[in-house]
Amino acid sequence: MQTFGSGVLTPREPEVVRLILQGHSTPSAAAYLGIAQGTVKVHRHHAYAKLGISSQAELFSMASRHLAGGT
């Protein structure tokens, strides 16, 4: 998962995305990263836009394809 979104996302955005994929909620991710919940939401929104997705389901699907060797 280290290369998921590389070249597209800022350094913080993949951290947020990885936490989401691990099952963290917004409050949990915020606490883990030591940032505000609103900041997590902004990073998540920007990452989704850059990846061309609009839901967590699409994020999981994209991550699954990435792990399987696809895009």
Side-chain angles (χ1 to χ4, degrees):
M1 287 308 298
Q2 293 294 88
T3 60
F4 183 69
S6 63
V8 177
L9 304 177
T10 66
R12 182 63 96 174
E13 291 164 352
E15 292 177 318
V16 170
V17 166
R18 276 192 291 279
L19 290 172
I20 292 165
L21 291 169
Q22 291 172 2
H24 286 267
S25 64
T26 296
S28 174
Y32 184 86
L33 295 171
I35 59 178
Q37 290 181 36
T39 305
V40 170
K41 289 178 183 180
V42 168
H43 286 308
R44 184 178 188 158
H45 175 77
H46 289 167
Y48 280 22
K50 290 176 183 178
L51 295 171
I53 58 175
S54 59
S55 71
Q56 188 167 323
E58 288 178 296
L59 176 64
F60 278 94
S61 177
M62 181 178 276
S64 294
R65 286 192 310 272
H66 176 77
L67 287 173
T71 328

